[in-house]
Amino acid sequence: MDEIKKAIQLLKEHDVVALPTETVYGLAAAIDSEVALKKIFAIKERPFFDPLIVHVSGQDEAKKLTTSWNKTCDALTQEFWPGPLTIVLKRNDKIKDVITAGLDSVGLRCPDHPATLQIIKELGVPVAAPSANKFKRTSPTKKEHVQREFEDQVFVVEGGESRVGIESTVAGVFDTHVDIYRPGMITAQDIKAALNNAGINIPVNIVPSPVAPGQLKHHYMPKIPIILSWDQLNPDLSTLSVPTDNLAVWNISSNPAETARNLYSFFRDAEDKNHTAILITLDSNFKSMHEWHGILNRLDKAKSFEISR
Ligand code: TXA
Ligand code: MG
C-alpha cells in the first residue's frame, strides 16, 4: 500500500500520523476523532491548554468551521493559501473543545504540500496537527527528525525537506483589524500589502499571543544551549557557564528564506554530532528588517545566552 493510502487508513482508524508540510512536519489527527486528538497530546507530552491548528484542503472547507469568515479572510486566503499563514477565527460546533483548549476561536491553515493536501481531500475531514515534536522542542523539517523524536512510534509520510522551515504566521482576523500572534515568513508587511491590493484598509498589529504557551519564554529548544552573538564573530565566551570546547558555529549573513529553511536542521545536526553548544552570530540590523522577524522570534525563544557589543 502506498504511504498516502496508509495514512488515510490510519486516520480513519482513529490513529495519529505524521505529515509533511511546507513549514514543518505535523502530527495529525482527524478533527472528528476525540481519541486520536487526545493521542496527539499524549505522544507530544503537550498540555491541553495549548490549542491545535486545523489543516484544511482550501477556503470552502475552512468556511464550514467558523462563524466569522469575512472579506479579509477571502483576501488573505486568496493570496497566501495554500501556504504558511494560519488565520484564527470564531469556531463553530464542528470544532471540539480539545482542539482549541476551550477557546471560542480556532486556527485554520491550508498547507502547501501535495501529499498532505491529497490526504486531507481524500479523507474528507480536516486534520488537527501541531508540529511533530515533543512539547517546547525544535520542530522537525525532515522525516528522520520525526522518527527519531518519537522513536518510530508514529507512521511518518515521506515529504522531503520542509521548504519554509519555520512554523506558519498565526494571525487573528477580525472585521476591524488583524492581530499577528506568531510571526513567520509571511510578514505583517506582506499581509498589509495583500489587504491593500484588495481595497481593505484595516490595521495589522503585532501583539502578544492570547494563548499561554505562545508566550513561553523558552520554546523550539535543542538539547544543547544556543548562544546568540550580535555583531561579533568571535565573542568572549569565557564568562558563560557553558562548555565551549566543541561549538557548532553559524555566521548568519544574509538570505532569510535560506536561514529559515536550514535553522532547525542545524540545531538537530549539532545535537547529533555531539557539539557542546551552538554559537550563532548575526547582524543587529536584522532587527529592523521585517523578513527576519519570524527567525529572530524563534532564535529568541530557543537561545540560552545572548551577547551584544
Ligand atoms: O506551520 C505550522 O503552523 C505547523 C504546521 C504543522 O502546520 N504547526 C504548528 O503547530 O506550528 P503548533 O501546535 O506547534 O503551534 C500552534 C500554535 C499554538 O501554540 C498557538 O500559539 C497558536 O498556534 N494557536 C492555535 N490556535 C490558536 C487560537 N485559537 N488562538 C490563538 N493562537 C492559536
Ligand atoms: Mg510546535
Side-chain angles (χ1 to χ4, degrees):
M1 195 188 327
D2 74 22
E3 290 200 338
I4 290 185
K5 286 212 182 80
K6 179 160 179 192
I8 293 169
Q9 186 185 325
L10 288 168
L11 290 165
K12 282 185 178 159
E13 289 167 354
H14 303 275
D15 211 339
V16 299
V17 174
L19 300 178
T21 87
E22 81 285 22
T23 57
V24 301
Y25 277 68
L27 187 61
I31 64 162
D32 59 2
S33 173
E34 187 101 25
V35 172
L37 291 166
K38 286 193 172 147
K39 228 180 207 172
I40 290 179
F41 290 88
I43 294 178
K44 273 189 63 106
E45 297 164 19
R46 177 177 172 122
F48 281 106
F49 55 78
D50 195 2
L52 305 178
I53 292 172
V54 172
H55 295 69
V56 294
S57 59
Q59 277 187 2
D60 291 344
E61 197 163 46
K63 286 179 191 170
K64 291 179 190 151
L65 305 173
T66 170
T67 58
S68 67
W69 193 274
N70 59 17
K71 63 182 189 355
T72 303
C73 300
D74 281 327
L76 292 179
T77 57
Q78 259 156 39
E79 179 71 22
F80 299 116
W81 279 10
L85 176 69
T86 298
I87 54 175
V88 176
L89 297 171
K90 281 253 180 314
R91 66 157 159 158
N92 69 16
D93 58 11
K94 291 206 179 67
I95 301 292
K96 296 182 189 302
D97 279 334
V98 61
I99 294 175
T100 69
L103 296 172
D104 64 355
S105 61
V106 61
L108 302 172
R109 165 166 128 76
C110 178
D112 189 13
H113 195 289
T116 294
L117 278 177
Q118 190 184 339
I119 289 167
I120 300 170
K121 279 182 196 152
E122 287 185 21
L123 182 67
V125 180
V127 298
S131 51
N133 51 276
K134 295 263 168 83
F135 186 56
K136 288 195 186 182
R137 293 289 178 190
T138 310
S139 298
T141 54
K142 292 180 185 169
K143 180 178 181 176
E144 308 88 84
H145 294 167
V146 187
Q147 288 172 318
R148 244 177 286 162
E149 187 91 7
F150 299 120
E151 291 165 355
D152 294 311
Q153 278 179 62
V154 284
F155 178 69
V156 192
V157 173
E158 174 62 78
E161 186 167 4
S162 296
R163 171 175 59 77
V164 176
I166 64 169
E167 305 81 357
S168 62
T169 304
V170 178
V173 179
F174 304 90
D175 287 338
T176 50
H177 62 287
V178 172
D179 281 344
I180 296 182
Y181 304 138
R182 179 174 73 181
M185 296 311 281
I186 292 177
T187 67
Q189 276 74 4
D190 296 333
I191 289 176
K192 269 183 209 152
L195 294 181
N196 282 343
N197 283 341
I200 298 169
N201 291 304
I202 56 174
V204 178
N205 314 307
I206 295 171
V207 304
S209 169
V211 173
Q215 307 207 39
L216 287 178
K217 180 87 190 71
H218 295 298
H219 211 137
Y220 317 109
M221 287 179 107
K223 290 177 185 140
I224 56 175
I226 295 179
I227 307 158
L228 278 193
S229 167
W230 296 99
D231 306 315
Q232 291 182 81
L233 290 181
N234 293 302
D236 175 12
L237 304 178
S238 62
T239 58
L240 302 183
S241 54
V242 217
T244 52
D245 48 309
N246 186 14
L247 287 176
V249 181
W250 187 6
N251 304 312
I252 295 178
S253 51
S254 61
N255 200 332
E258 195 183 305
T259 301
R261 183 154 56 239
N262 295 326
L263 191 68
Y264 293 150
S265 276
F266 186 85
F267 292 1
R268 283 178 185 266
D269 288 349
E271 259 174 46
D272 293 344
K273 290 180 185 148
N274 295 315
H275 285 284
T276 51
I278 294 170
L279 173 64
I280 291 181
T281 71
L282 64 189
D283 184 333
S284 55
N285 289 320
F286 293 168
K287 290 180 187 175
S288 60
M289 300 180 192
H290 59 98
E291 61 272 30
W292 287 97
H293 192 183
I295 296 164
L296 298 188
N297 167 271
R298 304 308 188 275
L299 284 173
D300 182 53
K301 296 198 176 210
K303 69 161 198 259
S304 294
F305 302 94
E306 189 163 7
I307 300 172
S308 309
R309 219 201 276 277

